[in-house]
Amino acid sequence: MKSLPGGGVIWIFAVAELVTFALFFFCYALYAADDPVTFAASQALVHPLSGAINTGVLLTASWGAARAVGEDWRWWLVPVVAGLLFLGIKSHEYVE
């Protein structure tokens, strides 16, 4: 494991995260197949535009955090602002 870039622990973490993400997709498909009527009704409540915007906001936050590592500390403002924007969008969704 010494030859892996970043060390072995980060790769264990990355694989664990990928497995967790795969399990979420599996559960999603399982519940969708188990009760398609309720699942379709729930999907009708989803706001596709705000979901797309939130995806962009979260990707921007990740980009800003990655830029902040080893560079100017002010890059940390990008994920902070993006996080606040994400919370604002989610709050607007839940109020509706």
PDB file of all heavy atoms in Angstrom, residues 55-70:
ATOM      1  N   THR A  55     -26.919  21.002  -7.540  1.00  0.00           N
ATOM      2  CA  THR A  55     -25.794  20.196  -8.004  1.00  0.00           C
ATOM      3  C   THR A  55     -24.634  21.101  -8.405  1.00  0.00           C
ATOM      4  O   THR A  55     -23.484  20.866  -8.031  1.00  0.00           O
ATOM      5  CB  THR A  55     -26.208  19.301  -9.187  1.00  0.00           C
ATOM      6  OG1 THR A  55     -27.260  18.435  -8.749  1.00  0.00           O
ATOM      7  CG2 THR A  55     -25.046  18.484  -9.710  1.00  0.00           C
ATOM      8  N   GLY A  56     -24.936  22.153  -9.148  1.00  0.00           N
ATOM      9  CA  GLY A  56     -23.893  23.119  -9.520  1.00  0.00           C
ATOM     10  C   GLY A  56     -23.286  23.810  -8.317  1.00  0.00           C
ATOM     11  O   GLY A  56     -22.065  24.005  -8.255  1.00  0.00           O
ATOM     12  N   VAL A  57     -24.116  24.158  -7.342  1.00  0.00           N
ATOM     13  CA  VAL A  57     -23.626  24.815  -6.125  1.00  0.00           C
ATOM     14  C   VAL A  57     -22.683  23.885  -5.365  1.00  0.00           C
ATOM     15  O   VAL A  57     -21.606  24.292  -4.916  1.00  0.00           O
ATOM     16  CB  VAL A  57     -24.814  25.258  -5.238  1.00  0.00           C
ATOM     17  CG1 VAL A  57     -24.359  25.649  -3.852  1.00  0.00           C
ATOM     18  CG2 VAL A  57     -25.566  26.409  -5.891  1.00  0.00           C
ATOM     19  N   LEU A  58     -23.065  22.616  -5.221  1.00  0.00           N
ATOM     20  CA  LEU A  58     -22.222  21.670  -4.488  1.00  0.00           C
ATOM     21  C   LEU A  58     -20.923  21.366  -5.230  1.00  0.00           C
ATOM     22  O   LEU A  58     -19.858  21.224  -4.605  1.00  0.00           O
ATOM     23  CB  LEU A  58     -23.001  20.384  -4.214  1.00  0.00           C
ATOM     24  CG  LEU A  58     -24.150  20.536  -3.219  1.00  0.00           C
ATOM     25  CD1 LEU A  58     -24.924  19.233  -3.117  1.00  0.00           C
ATOM     26  CD2 LEU A  58     -23.652  20.974  -1.861  1.00  0.00           C
ATOM     27  N   LEU A  59     -20.976  21.279  -6.555  1.00  0.00           N
ATOM     28  CA  LEU A  59     -19.748  21.077  -7.326  1.00  0.00           C
ATOM     29  C   LEU A  59     -18.822  22.286  -7.206  1.00  0.00           C
ATOM     30  O   LEU A  59     -17.601  22.144  -7.102  1.00  0.00           O
ATOM     31  CB  LEU A  59     -20.079  20.797  -8.789  1.00  0.00           C
ATOM     32  CG  LEU A  59     -20.685  19.425  -9.070  1.00  0.00           C
ATOM     33  CD1 LEU A  59     -21.154  19.342 -10.518  1.00  0.00           C
ATOM     34  CD2 LEU A  59     -19.701  18.318  -8.762  1.00  0.00           C
ATOM     35  N   THR A  60     -19.410  23.479  -7.194  1.00  0.00           N
ATOM     36  CA  THR A  60     -18.613  24.691  -7.016  1.00  0.00           C
ATOM     37  C   THR A  60     -17.971  24.718  -5.635  1.00  0.00           C
ATOM     38  O   THR A  60     -16.812  25.114  -5.478  1.00  0.00           O
ATOM     39  CB  THR A  60     -19.495  25.943  -7.223  1.00  0.00           C
ATOM     40  OG1 THR A  60     -20.060  25.884  -8.531  1.00  0.00           O
ATOM     41  CG2 THR A  60     -18.700  27.218  -7.048  1.00  0.00           C
ATOM     42  N   ALA A  61     -18.716  24.277  -4.623  1.00  0.00           N
ATOM     43  CA  ALA A  61     -18.169  24.216  -3.267  1.00  0.00           C
ATOM     44  C   ALA A  61     -16.979  23.254  -3.200  1.00  0.00           C
ATOM     45  O   ALA A  61     -15.948  23.568  -2.593  1.00  0.00           O
ATOM     46  CB  ALA A  61     -19.254  23.788  -2.286  1.00  0.00           C
ATOM     47  N   SER A  62     -17.114  22.104  -3.846  1.00  0.00           N
ATOM     48  CA  SER A  62     -16.012  21.133  -3.861  1.00  0.00           C
ATOM     49  C   SER A  62     -14.800  21.695  -4.591  1.00  0.00           C
ATOM     50  O   SER A  62     -13.661  21.518  -4.155  1.00  0.00           O
ATOM     51  CB  SER A  62     -16.466  19.838  -4.532  1.00  0.00           C
ATOM     52  OG  SER A  62     -17.506  19.246  -3.808  1.00  0.00           O
ATOM     53  N   TRP A  63     -15.061  22.360  -5.700  1.00  0.00           N
ATOM     54  CA  TRP A  63     -13.971  22.977  -6.454  1.00  0.00           C
ATOM     55  C   TRP A  63     -13.242  24.014  -5.592  1.00  0.00           C
ATOM     56  O   TRP A  63     -12.016  24.055  -5.548  1.00  0.00           O
ATOM     57  CB  TRP A  63     -14.520  23.608  -7.727  1.00  0.00           C
ATOM     58  CG  TRP A  63     -13.522  24.424  -8.485  1.00  0.00           C
ATOM     59  CD1 TRP A  63     -12.534  23.976  -9.297  1.00  0.00           C
ATOM     60  CD2 TRP A  63     -13.414  25.850  -8.482  1.00  0.00           C
ATOM     61  NE1 TRP A  63     -11.820  25.033  -9.810  1.00  0.00           N
ATOM     62  CE2 TRP A  63     -12.350  26.198  -9.321  1.00  0.00           C
ATOM     63  CE3 TRP A  63     -14.137  26.862  -7.851  1.00  0.00           C
ATOM     64  CZ2 TRP A  63     -11.980  27.512  -9.527  1.00  0.00           C
ATOM     65  CZ3 TRP A  63     -13.763  28.172  -8.076  1.00  0.00           C
ATOM     66  CH2 TRP A  63     -12.678  28.485  -8.909  1.00  0.00           C
ATOM     67  N   GLY A  64     -14.006  24.854  -4.887  1.00  0.00           N
ATOM     68  CA  GLY A  64     -13.402  25.883  -4.034  1.00  0.00           C
ATOM     69  C   GLY A  64     -12.592  25.285  -2.894  1.00  0.00           C
ATOM     70  O   GLY A  64     -11.511  25.773  -2.563  1.00  0.00           O
ATOM     71  N   ALA A  65     -13.105  24.210  -2.303  1.00  0.00           N
ATOM     72  CA  ALA A  65     -12.370  23.552  -1.221  1.00  0.00           C
ATOM     73  C   ALA A  65     -11.074  22.942  -1.744  1.00  0.00           C
ATOM     74  O   ALA A  65     -10.032  23.016  -1.081  1.00  0.00           O
ATOM     75  CB  ALA A  65     -13.239  22.489  -0.566  1.00  0.00           C
ATOM     76  N   ALA A  66     -11.131  22.338  -2.932  1.00  0.00           N
ATOM     77  CA  ALA A  66      -9.921  21.759  -3.519  1.00  0.00           C
ATOM     78  C   ALA A  66      -8.897  22.839  -3.835  1.00  0.00           C
ATOM     79  O   ALA A  66      -7.691  22.639  -3.646  1.00  0.00           O
ATOM     80  CB  ALA A  66     -10.275  20.968  -4.779  1.00  0.00           C
ATOM     81  N   ARG A  67      -9.359  23.985  -4.309  1.00  0.00           N
ATOM     82  CA  ARG A  67      -8.443  25.104  -4.595  1.00  0.00           C
ATOM     83  C   ARG A  67      -7.814  25.655  -3.326  1.00  0.00           C
ATOM     84  O   ARG A  67      -6.688  26.137  -3.335  1.00  0.00           O
ATOM     85  CB  ARG A  67      -9.186  26.238  -5.302  1.00  0.00           C
ATOM     86  CG  ARG A  67      -9.585  26.016  -6.721  1.00  0.00           C
ATOM     87  CD  ARG A  67      -8.425  26.025  -7.710  1.00  0.00           C
ATOM     88  NE  ARG A  67      -7.521  27.143  -7.615  1.00  0.00           N
ATOM     89  CZ  ARG A  67      -7.494  28.171  -8.457  1.00  0.00           C
ATOM     90  NH1 ARG A  67      -8.350  28.226  -9.444  1.00  0.00           N
ATOM     91  NH2 ARG A  67      -6.613  29.128  -8.304  1.00  0.00           N
ATOM     92  N   ALA A  68      -8.549  25.594  -2.225  1.00  0.00           N
ATOM     93  CA  ALA A  68      -8.073  26.178  -0.973  1.00  0.00           C
ATOM     94  C   ALA A  68      -6.949  25.358  -0.342  1.00  0.00           C
ATOM     95  O   ALA A  68      -6.154  25.902   0.427  1.00  0.00           O
ATOM     96  CB  ALA A  68      -9.225  26.307   0.018  1.00  0.00           C
ATOM     97  N   VAL A  69      -6.869  24.085  -0.658  1.00  0.00           N
ATOM     98  CA  VAL A  69      -5.841  23.231  -0.067  1.00  0.00           C
ATOM     99  C   VAL A  69      -4.479  23.636  -0.617  1.00  0.00           C
ATOM    100  O   VAL A  69      -4.226  23.538  -1.813  1.00  0.00           O
ATOM    101  CB  VAL A  69      -6.126  21.741  -0.354  1.00  0.00           C
ATOM    102  CG1 VAL A  69      -4.981  20.866   0.148  1.00  0.00           C
ATOM    103  CG2 VAL A  69      -7.432  21.333   0.278  1.00  0.00           C
ATOM    104  N   GLY A  70      -3.647  24.107   0.243  1.00  0.00           N
ATOM    105  CA  GLY A  70      -2.302  24.487  -0.140  1.00  0.00           C
ATOM    106  C   GLY A  70      -2.192  25.811  -0.873  1.00  0.00           C
ATOM    107  O   GLY A  70      -1.122  26.178  -1.307  1.00  0.00           O
TER     108      GLY A  70
END
